[in-house]
Structures are given as C-alpha cells and as structure tokens.
Amino acid sequence: MNERERDTELSPELQRAVGELPRSIEPPADLWPGIRDRIRHGKRDGGRGLRWWIPLALAAALVLAVGLRVTRHGNASWGVERTAGAPRVDGTPMGISGTLRVGGWVETDDSSQAVIAVGTIGHVDVRPGSRVGLVRARDTDHRLTLAYGAIHAKVDAPPRIFFVETPAGTAIDLGCEYTLETDRAGRGLIHVTGGYVEFAAHGTRSIVPLGAFAMTRPGQAPGIPYLEDAPAALREALESFDFERGGAGAVRRALATARAEDALSVWHLLTRVDPVLRPTVYDRLAALVPPPAGVTRAGAIAQDEAMLGQYWNLIRRIEFRRIILKGIREIDPRTGVAR
Amino acid sequence: MQAPIDDLVRRAQAGEEAAFEALYRAHAGRIFALCLRLSGDRTRATELVQDVFVRCWERLRSFRGESAFGSWLYRLAVNLVWMANRGDRRREARVIPVEDPQVLERPGETSTAGLSVDLERAIGSLPDGAREVFVLFDIEGYHHEEIARMTGIAVGTSKAQLFRARRLLRGQLER
C-alpha cells in the first residue's frame, strides 16, 4: 500500500470527484500578447521585483534537478512489467520487466498479465488473453492498439494525448481511467471509472463519463453511452438502435424507459436520430432535464453545436454533483440541486 | 497540423517567437488550471500564467530534454506560484468566502441557481497552505516528498496541511 492509499480520509466519492476535476481550464482571455510584450522588452513584473525572483532562480535549479530524475518521456519505447504468468513481448517470454518498442506487441495468455508504462502519464494493465501493440510514443500522441482482450488504463494528462485503437474505433483519453475490452472483430465494451473518454469511429463519437458504459461493434458507430445502473429496457433499446437497425421503435422504447439520470443517453440520441425524430427526443430530454438558459428547442433540433454543448455541460455537471455528493446529499437528477 | 512539442521547444530555444507561442497555446490551459487552484483567484492566476511563461522563456535554454517539456514547465510553474504566494503577504491570511461563487467559475459555464456547493469552490475556500498542498497532492498527484522538495516545506508540514485540507473540505461539503 502506498502513501496515497494510506491517506484515506477523503471519501471514495470525493476522491473520484477530485479525479474528475478538469486538468485544463482555458484562461479568461488570450494572455499571449502580454507575454509576448514582456519577452520582447525583457521586462519582468516590477511589482513583485527581485524579492521573489532570487529565491525562484534557486528553486528553479532545484526543479531542474528533480526533473532530471523523472522518467524519460517521448521515447520510442515504453517499459513493461510482468505482473502474472509469462507475458510475451514481440513473441519472446519476458522477465520481470521488458521494453515495448513502437511497432512491438505485448501478448498475455489466460494466466498472464502485464503493465505497460505509458510514458510518464500513466499506465495500462494488460489483462489475460490480450494482445496490445505500441503505435506511437510521442509527447503529444501516446497511442496503443488493442487487437483483442482487455486493458485497464489510468492516465493523468491533458486531454487527447493518449489513444487506444481497437478494431471498432479509437478510445481518446479526456483525462480518465477506464476498462476497454474487445474481441478480434471489434465487438467490445468500454467502462469509464474516472473522468471522460471519447470513443470515435466512422465520424461519430460517444462521450463516456465516469460511471458509464458504451458498446462497440465493428464497422459501426460507437454505441450510445449508458449509466452503470441504467434500466435493462433502456440498454436493450439503445443496443437495438445502435446496432440492430431498431429505428423509431427503439428510440421510442429508449425514451419511454429513460430516467432523468439517463439524460446523457438521451442527449446522445438527440445527435443521432433521424431529423424527423429529433423533436420527440428533444421534448423528452427537456422533460427529463430542463435545458439551460440560451438553449432553444429550434436550435437544439437544428443541431446547433453551441447549444448542444451547453446542454451537455449542464448534464455532465449534474452528474458530477450526483457523484461528489453521493452519500452526503441527495441531488435532484433533473436540476442538480440538493433536495 | 501542430508540430511536435520537441520540435517547438528546439525552435523556441533558438529564439523563434512563433514556436514559443505554440508552446504557450499547447500548455496554457493546464498551467492556468494549476495557477487558478493554487492561488484561488482568477485575476491573480492570469498574472501568474504570464509570469510562468515569461520565466519559461528566460530559462528555456537550460531545458535539455531530460524530462518532458510539459513536466519541466509544470514544475517550474508550481515553484513560481508557490514562491509568489509566499512572497505576497496580502494572500497569507486570505480565505475566499463561499458566498463568492464567481471566483472559481469556469469560463463558458454559468452558475446554476441553487448550486451552493461546488467542489472547485470548496477547494478555493480552503486556507492558502492547506489548499496548495491539497491541489498538489490530491489533484496533481505529487507525493509529500516531491512537494517538500519543490516548495521547501517539511514533509510533515505537507502531511499536516493535507489532513487539514481534507477535514475542512469534508466539513464544507457536509454543510
């Protein structure tokens, strides 16, 4: 047990909520012009002056010294550690640890497991019966391919620098922890246990938040995400719509069974259904979670991206509050307000 | 298509302003988030982000690629913000009142009526020392030893501040 695990005063719900906080927040204005001017004129902030720049210089040297000890990042290879059985790297049984190079593969049989270090931003557990390849190992593009089997990925990095390709599409990290499984054809499932993951295929994307699943199928758009506790009838209706040409009937069944908590699924439906069904889906979504100010029925039905984004932000914010206050306060899934 | 970070760093080290601007744009969000949470003040955070990137430009030639540029920049930012907070007496006893919901509101997200408790705001309401350690340990994933090395506080102090932060945060959310 490590230091962080021993320090358990933070409740599990709060730990998950903290893990979901955005790692990146856009500044309220473009700060570059001010930085550029200061660089060009060699000016420092006179208000704070040397009283803190002097110790800063000393401290920066310390920072560099610490930085030198950080594991190298952006190499064309990542480390692999055996955690059970006899995993193979590029067909050769590995010892306690090994190196996975770009173009190389880690394979596990029914009784073996391994952990891949994803540069310095996280790690991937390779579950038994899996084949995982390293596609790219760059600072801005950490990319694995999961040919079949299952992985559990935990990454702490800015969004969109860690990717896992599967036969059915690509999982794009938005700051998260998740389990991804697939068979050789691409029939699989993603389960997000921290943050968000985007799964993209054939020009369509599903945003899968903490506590949700999404199915994948070869040659088809990714399935609409649904919560862990979504009603079985809703899951079946979504699967029918996504992969079995369920059409309007499946949409109506999904709308009839969706709860306010399932707004994330209905929001995705709104972006995918035939235009003639959009008013019906919108009305149901608005009944489950009233739209935020600025979102109009006409705009959402016309697929106005800004409005859909606003609506999504409200839905994810409510879900976020439900999670962080779980066990502390009961949150109304329609509004996010404590009951 | 954006150039790889390593290439941008090399060009910026050679004095190419456009490359440095690209580095700024690639990292501004992450650095702003850090500055915002460590300072607890949006205006202050924008000043700190500018200071971080000016400092980065000044120190860039000393970056030799032994670690990822992002890691190097991030640690530089942590240190700069920490020192700036320590050097600014005005902030020593500062506590953001929770009734001030605008302080840590994220751009593009409006405050929903009735959302009186928000984790970001709760973090922002923590006393400076407790908030800084909480942000570095629980959000950014540094360990106490790393925090101690970067900031100059004792490991025990870091642990005590974390304990205090978590206790206060729990109390804040249970109100």
Side-chain angles (χ1 to χ4, degrees), chain A:
Chain A
M1 183 178 285
N2 64 29
E3 178 186 37
R4 292 177 68 77
E5 289 167 334
R6 283 196 304 272
D7 241 325
T8 54
E9 198 203 351
L10 213 54
S11 69
E13 292 81 10
L14 207 48
Q15 282 185 27
R16 287 200 302 177
V18 167
E20 199 183 7
L21 288 174
R23 292 291 184 270
S24 181
I25 301 173
E26 282 306 304
D30 186 0
L31 305 179
W32 172 250
I35 296 168
R36 181 194 58 212
D37 291 347
R38 287 174 63 185
I39 288 171
R40 286 180 178 173
H41 297 100
K43 288 180 181 175
R44 289 177 180 168
D45 186 339
R48 285 183 290 280
L50 289 175
R51 61 191 169 90
W52 66 279
W53 279 104
I54 291 172
L56 174 64
L58 297 173
L62 178 61
V63 168
L64 273 177
V66 172
L68 296 181
R69 297 168 59 183
V70 174
T71 307
R72 291 195 64 175
H73 194 204
N75 286 348
S77 63
W78 293 344
V80 187
E81 288 191 14
R82 183 183 71 194
T83 52
R88 302 172 79 90
V89 175
D90 295 332
T92 304
M94 63 179 290
I96 294 173
S97 62
T99 300
L100 179 62
R101 301 184 190 286
V102 170
W105 293 88
V106 174
E107 291 171 278
T108 55
D109 59 20
D110 290 347
S111 60
S112 60
Q113 293 190 58
V115 178
I116 301 171
V118 181
T120 58
I121 65 171
H123 63 268
V124 166
D125 296 325
V126 182
R127 300 278 166 82
S130 304
R131 177 174 162 83
V132 179
L134 177 54
V135 179
R136 267 192 286 283
R138 298 177 185 159
D139 285 344
T140 54
D141 188 348
H142 303 67
R143 189 174 296 259
L144 294 170
T145 180
L146 174 62
Y148 58 82
I151 60 168
H152 180 81
K154 186 172 184 180
V155 167
D156 180 13
R160 301 181 187 282
I161 67 170
F162 174 61
F163 307 85
V164 179
E165 297 173 350
T166 78
T170 302
I172 303 164
D173 166 69
L174 302 179
C176 61
E177 179 173 359
Y178 65 93
T179 299
L180 175 62
E181 57 188 56
T182 182
D183 63 16
R184 293 170 193 255
R187 188 181 174 88
L189 186 71
I190 184 166
H191 178 206
V192 177
T193 52
Y196 298 83
V197 177
E198 179 179 313
F199 198 94
H202 306 286
T204 303
R205 63 177 185 148
S206 289
I207 306 169
V208 192
L210 162 68
F213 290 93
M215 289 183 276
T216 69
R217 295 289 184 272
Q220 294 182 268
I224 288 174
Y226 56 87
L227 290 179
E228 292 164 351
D229 64 349
L234 173 63
R235 297 200 306 267
E236 289 162 10
L238 292 175
E239 185 173 7
S240 172
F241 172 79
D242 288 329
F243 307 122
E244 297 163 3
R245 299 175 185 271
V251 172
R252 292 198 175 88
R253 288 199 303 280
L255 297 182
T257 52
R259 311 158 300 169
E261 293 89 331
D262 301 311
L264 83 154
S265 301
V266 181
W267 181 90
H268 276 81
L269 261 182
L270 178 60
T271 66
R272 299 194 193 181
V273 296
D274 188 274
V276 74
L277 286 171
R278 283 182 200 154
T280 306
V281 176
Y282 176 84
D283 290 343
R284 180 60 177 154
L285 178 60
L288 294 174
V289 173
V295 174
T296 66
R297 184 174 188 270
I301 290 171
Q303 304 285 281
D304 181 289
E305 281 192 21
M307 290 191 190
L308 290 175
Q310 268 184 277
Y311 216 151
W312 172 255
N313 279 336
L314 172 63
I315 291 167
R316 73 171 178 80
R317 189 179 176 96
I318 292 172
E319 184 60 20
F320 173 73
R321 283 178 57 77
R322 286 183 60 235
I323 291 171
I324 69 165
L325 296 176
K326 190 174 181 180
I328 300 172
R329 286 188 179 184
E330 188 182 358
I331 298 301
D332 184 342
R334 296 180 72 251
T335 62
V337 176
R339 279 173 168 153

